[in-house]
Amino acid sequence: MSALQQSDSAVWSAIQAEIGRQADGLELIASENYTSAAVLEAAGTVLTNKYAEGYPGRRYYGGCEHIDDVESLARQRACELFGAEHANVQPHSGSQANMSVYLTVLQPGETYLAMDLAHGGHLTHGMHLNFSGQLYNAVHYGVREDDHRIDFDHVAKLAREHRPTLIVAGASAYPREIDHPKFAEIAREVGALLMVDMAHYAGLVAAGLHNNPVEVADYVTSTSHKTLRGPRGGFVLTREANAKDLDRTVFPGMQGGPLCHIVAGKAVCFGEAQQPEFREYAAAVIDNARVLAETLVAGGLQLASGGTDNHLMLADVTPIGLTGKIAEETLDRAGITVNKNMIPFDQRKPLDPSGIRIGTAALTTRGMGADDMRRVGAWILEVLKAVDDAGVAERVRGEIAEFTGAFSVPGIDPA
Ligand code: DSN
């Protein structure tokens, strides 16, 4: 019996149930993944006990020599992986990574340009209820109505009109490769700084399969847990010239002690992403997304921009008489996990939008390939076309539980 099971059976039971859910179902949330057993182990260590305010070699607490080693490794590996001069690996999340850049380069009330949440941006790209929309004047660009690609003419027009201090590129629900050099060109023209939030596609960048924003941006923010497949957390990359200001903003500006166990998980994840196998993994994520997208389109769903060239797709479910909320709930009953999502120019509301967002990073980690994606696509279509038939969802749930039994989950099943 584990220590947790013995001391707190309620929490232990909930965790066991979640282990079962992660193992038995099809995890298609585009921002989720399964970390390796090594990342999981590092994140579950006694490093959680340690306070280490400050940075390696300059801490406000004693006893930080081993934490220094871990954080230095994480910083060094992040820099090697992405070709950056400086990395801050302490932000607790992607939101805090973004906050740290805004607080470094923007004064309250200043203007920045970022992607509209309704077109695929993130909460921290200036949503009106978020700090990023309350503290600053966020101006939004979006995608074109005809092809759902970023409208660079509009980005340039807004940049010339509003003269923002900062331009933010990057998205949470955009199925196409983002042209970072184009953003850099516009930023240079209007004298703005460029920040790229690569949280979703960081793993593809690490693998050399998406153009690298570090080459053209002043700041690059990310999470470590999406396509990069590390522990839940954030980090920021920048040039050496910005290092002091950024570090001062993260600590003491907006955080106290780093989460040392998570920093250890990040170090392991950056090391894993440097291995040749990671490139193969990232290539398979993209291939799988393409095959799944083709399967869904052939089955009658409309995808934003018509398809995908990264790890995710946005499917409009209204042509088959559903809403995103109904689709999410119905798929959930069948053991298929996705999230409802606005599609560009959505006429519906965020809590019951027209679409669902689907990603292949997690299933690819389990070793699924193109044929499996065709099967997954067929299940999605079958369930969505029979929302009123509880028996279909029930049967598919059973089929999926049997199917997923053949694919191990790192950290849950033995490799
Ligand atoms: N909440 C994340 C997502 O699902 O894309 C972004 O932070």
Side-chain angles (χ1 to χ4, degrees):
M1 194 185 266
S2 77
L4 181 59
Q5 184 177 11
Q6 212 165 0
S7 70
D8 193 333
S9 62
V11 170
W12 179 85
S13 299
I15 292 173
Q16 296 313 302
E18 174 61 10
I19 288 172
R21 191 195 67 81
Q22 290 193 16
D24 294 346
L26 292 175
E27 183 52 74
L28 286 159
I29 294 203
S31 48
E32 295 185 12
N33 209 330
Y34 299 103
T35 67
S36 69
V39 166
L40 210 53
E41 185 179 332
T45 59
V46 294
L47 270 63
T48 194
N49 297 338
K50 189 71 194 99
Y51 254 119
E53 286 179 2
Y55 292 98
R58 289 178 296 117
R59 303 283 190 186
Y60 289 82
Y61 290 81
C64 287
E65 58 273 28
H66 307 301
I67 300 300
D68 279 4
D69 288 345
V70 168
E71 187 169 343
S72 297
L73 275 172
R75 295 205 299 195
Q76 180 199 325
R77 289 178 183 173
C79 287
E80 285 166 5
L81 185 60
F82 294 103
E85 292 177 11
H86 179 74
N88 188 309
V89 296
Q90 294 193 3
H92 300 329
S93 68
S95 294
Q96 284 179 289
N98 288 350
M99 180 186 258
S100 74
V101 175
Y102 296 164
L103 289 174
T104 301
V105 305
L106 295 170
Q107 292 302 314
E110 274 191 332
T111 298
Y112 70 95
L113 201 55
M115 189 141 169
D116 194 335
L117 179 63
H119 285 219
H122 186 249
L123 284 177
T124 56
H125 295 178
M127 191 263 199
H128 70 286
L129 296 175
N130 186 265
F131 82 93
S132 60
Q134 297 198 335
L135 278 185
Y136 309 107
N137 177 36
V139 176
H140 289 120
Y141 59 83
V143 297
R144 287 187 293 256
E145 195 157 8
D146 55 352
D147 64 359
H148 299 154
R149 311 278 177 139
I150 291 172
D151 184 347
F152 279 104
D153 290 339
H154 193 225
V155 177
K157 183 170 174 288
L158 290 173
R160 288 176 198 132
E161 195 177 314
H162 294 275
R163 311 300 294 188
T165 308
L166 177 72
I167 295 181
V168 177
S172 291
Y174 184 67
R176 298 293 174 179
E177 180 167 5
I178 293 178
D179 188 346
H180 303 124
K182 186 80 190 153
F183 273 106
E185 193 186 309
I186 295 171
R188 265 198 308 274
E189 183 198 317
V190 300
L193 293 168
L194 177 64
M195 174 187 122
V196 175
D197 176 348
M198 65 168 181
H200 262 267
Y201 48 94
L204 311 184
V205 173
L209 300 171
H210 190 298
N211 71 88
N212 186 350
V214 169
E215 289 164 12
V216 295
D218 298 283
Y219 295 88
V220 175
T221 62
S222 188
T223 54
S224 39
H225 52 272
K226 298 186 175 88
T227 48
L228 199 50
R229 215 162 59 171
R232 189 156 294 268
F235 64 98
V236 185
L237 307 170
T238 190
R239 286 191 272 278
E240 197 52 53
N242 303 324
K244 248 195 184 140
D245 287 345
L246 173 73
D247 286 356
R248 204 183 296 122
T249 305
V250 174
F251 171 83
M254 50 171 275
Q255 288 186 181
L259 306 175
C260 300
H261 54 308
I262 297 301
V263 171
K266 289 174 193 172
V268 176
C269 141
F270 297 141
E272 289 177 351
Q274 289 173 338
Q275 306 310 313
E277 301 79 49
F278 189 82
R279 192 185 182 285
E280 285 166 30
Y281 160 70
V285 168
I286 295 173
D287 286 347
N288 280 344
R290 189 178 34 78
V291 173
L292 184 54
E294 285 165 5
T295 309
L296 296 180
V297 169
L301 293 189
Q302 276 175 20
L303 298 188
S305 83
T308 177
D309 41 39
N310 58 22
H311 63 298
L312 69 82
M313 63 212 75
L314 274 179
D316 182 354
V317 293
T318 58
I320 55 169
L322 302 179
T323 69
K325 183 169 184 277
I326 293 171
E328 178 193 297
E329 289 169 358
T330 311
L331 290 169
D332 228 356
R333 285 197 287 278
I336 301 171
T337 315
V338 302
N339 67 281
K340 56 184 169 291
N341 215 98
M342 300 282 276
I343 55 166
F345 305 96
D346 209 326
Q347 299 302 310
R348 301 183 59 84
K349 297 275 177 266
L351 275 177
D352 193 7
S354 298
I356 52 176
R357 188 183 62 163
I358 303 173
T360 53
L363 292 190
T364 307
T365 293
R366 293 188 78 165
M368 292 184 197
D371 286 344
D372 304 311
M373 290 305 113
R374 288 185 194 99
R375 196 148 181 210
V376 168
W379 272 320
I380 291 174
L381 291 163
E382 187 182 359
V383 171
L384 290 184
K385 288 177 180 173
V387 283
D388 295 326
D389 188 341
V392 171
E394 191 58 36
R395 174 178 49 75
V396 169
R397 189 183 191 91
E399 289 171 6
I400 287 174
E402 196 183 328
F403 169 76
T404 52
F407 298 91
S408 64
V409 179
I412 295 180
D413 300 321

